[in-house]
Amino acid sequence: MLKHLLQKAWEVRKANFPPKLYADYPFRTLPVSVTGKYCALNCAHCGGYYLASMKTVEEARRYAGLVSSFLISGGCDRTGRVPVLTKLEEIKAIAPGHRLNWHVGFITEEEASAIAPYVSVISFDFVGDDEVITRVYGLEKTVHDYLETYRMLRKHFRVIPHITIGLDGGKVKHERRALELLAGEGVEGLVFIVFTPTPGTAYASCPPPSTEEVASILAEARLLFPTVPMALGCMRPHGNYRKELDTLAVMAGVNRIVSPAREAMEKAVELGLSIEETSECCVLDL
């Protein structure tokens, strides 16, 4: 079943894109948190863990001459909104000469207008199931809220939806509905990341989805979005899991992989793809 699905996805990819795989190594994109290590949500899959490795906006100034882009992100408040205006003056100071990828959550239209001059692209996590939203994020939000925010953001920016495969504690549940909804709205690009068990979180002991399940979602997405560029993003398990998944992702027709496993690049070459390496966040050139 998977083999047949991958073959169909590969044929679609071959018909609609040049024979090239982008290997993104984002060492020239600096992740910046506008809230430091603080997040009000303590989500089941993250628990603020990933904020710890990000720089503050003040620290980012010291790196401005060493990088070409910034990921502007941070923890959320209780409504799922990243408080993007709290450090806007400092962000204005580091913005010149850099591309900025913003992860904003459920910001308002007024906030969107305020940051608009400094945005290259918006990364927007999209979830396709009300129960998953409640379980993972503890938010009083629905899929309708995600759709409304996505529509609003698209009026102002280029927006790239991110779908976490296995978000519900490693179980595949919301992903296909999310893809169906986005197909109805239209997308300019898609980024897929994969649930990764993270120390200290409620889902720390949950296994990630199988590589076959993830590959099926990627292949189905390629068939649903035949001309839309797709990336396998940085958040996914390491080790043998990554070797297997990255290789399957190439076969499923993705266009970009962040820090791809060597085995995946070998598969890409075997399939007739050339490899082009880049040095920034995959979203910026998707």
Side-chain angles (χ1 to χ4, degrees):
M1 176 65 178
L2 178 58
K3 183 179 179 181
H4 178 65
L5 184 60
L6 290 174
Q7 184 60 41
K8 287 174 63 179
W10 175 252
E11 292 299 329
V12 169
R13 191 244 204 256
K14 195 163 62 169
N16 289 287
F17 294 98
K20 180 181 292 187
L21 177 74
Y22 292 92
D24 299 310
Y25 301 95
F27 60 89
R28 289 185 60 81
T29 299
L30 186 71
V32 177
S33 170
V34 298
T35 64
K37 296 175 175 59
Y38 175 76
C39 179
L41 293 183
N42 192 31
C43 299
H45 68 312
C46 171
Y49 179 91
Y50 297 99
L51 292 174
S53 61
M54 302 178 79
K55 302 298 181 185
T56 65
V57 180
E58 291 74 19
E59 289 171 330
R61 296 192 69 162
R62 301 202 299 268
Y63 293 85
L66 303 175
V67 299
S68 51
S69 53
F70 294 103
L71 164 62
I72 306 297
S73 186
C76 293
D77 63 16
R78 288 300 311 165
T79 68
R81 163 187 155 273
V82 178
V84 293
L85 299 190
T86 57
K87 298 288 184 178
L88 185 56
E89 290 305 311
E90 292 88 340
I91 292 169
K92 288 179 184 179
I94 63 172
H98 298 86
R99 295 194 291 173
L100 273 61
N101 168 25
W102 292 67
H103 176 255
V104 296
F106 290 97
I107 60 171
T108 65
E109 187 146 19
E110 291 72 24
E111 289 169 314
S113 296
I115 67 172
Y118 314 100
V119 174
S120 300
V121 64
I122 294 284
S123 293
F124 184 66
D125 295 326
F126 196 88
V127 185
D129 185 278
D130 291 349
E131 293 180 358
V132 173
I133 294 166
T134 302
R135 257 197 307 276
V136 176
Y137 300 108
L139 286 171
E140 294 181 3
K141 298 284 187 183
T142 66
V143 173
H144 178 73
D145 295 312
Y146 277 81
L147 282 169
E148 287 297 298
T149 301
Y150 179 62
R151 290 165 182 159
M152 180 275 289
L153 291 171
R154 290 189 80 204
K155 290 193 297 183
H156 298 271
F157 312 110
R158 181 170 179 264
V159 182
I160 303 297
H162 286 47
I163 294 177
T164 302
I165 302 175
L167 176 63
D168 191 20
K171 298 186 292 291
V172 171
K173 181 173 182 182
H174 82 102
E175 298 82 353
R176 290 181 173 88
R177 180 60 179 151
L179 289 171
E180 290 171 6
L181 291 168
L182 288 169
E185 297 294 320
V187 295
E188 297 174 71
L190 283 169
V191 173
F192 294 90
I193 56 179
V194 182
F195 166 74
T196 304
T198 300
T201 65
Y203 286 167
S205 61
C206 297
S210 71
T211 56
E212 290 82 4
E213 284 183 295
V214 177
S216 292
I217 297 292
L218 295 176
E220 289 170 31
R222 171 49 69 219
L223 296 175
L224 192 58
F225 299 92
T227 62
V228 171
M230 293 174 13
L232 182 60
C234 51
M235 298 296 295
R236 60 193 195 280
H238 289 275
N240 287 331
Y241 185 101
R242 181 170 290 207
K243 294 176 185 178
E244 294 175 13
L245 174 59
D246 291 8
T247 302
L248 289 170
V250 171
M251 298 166 67
V254 301
N255 304 90
R256 324 182 73 97
I257 302 179
V258 179
S259 302
R262 175 178 52 81
E263 290 80 359
M265 290 196 286
E266 290 172 352
K267 173 56 73 172
V269 172
E270 178 188 319
L271 290 171
L273 303 180
S274 61
I275 309 292
E276 182 169 327
E277 296 185 4
T278 79
S279 58
E280 293 185 276
C281 176
C282 66
V283 172
L284 289 164
D285 294 304
L286 194 64

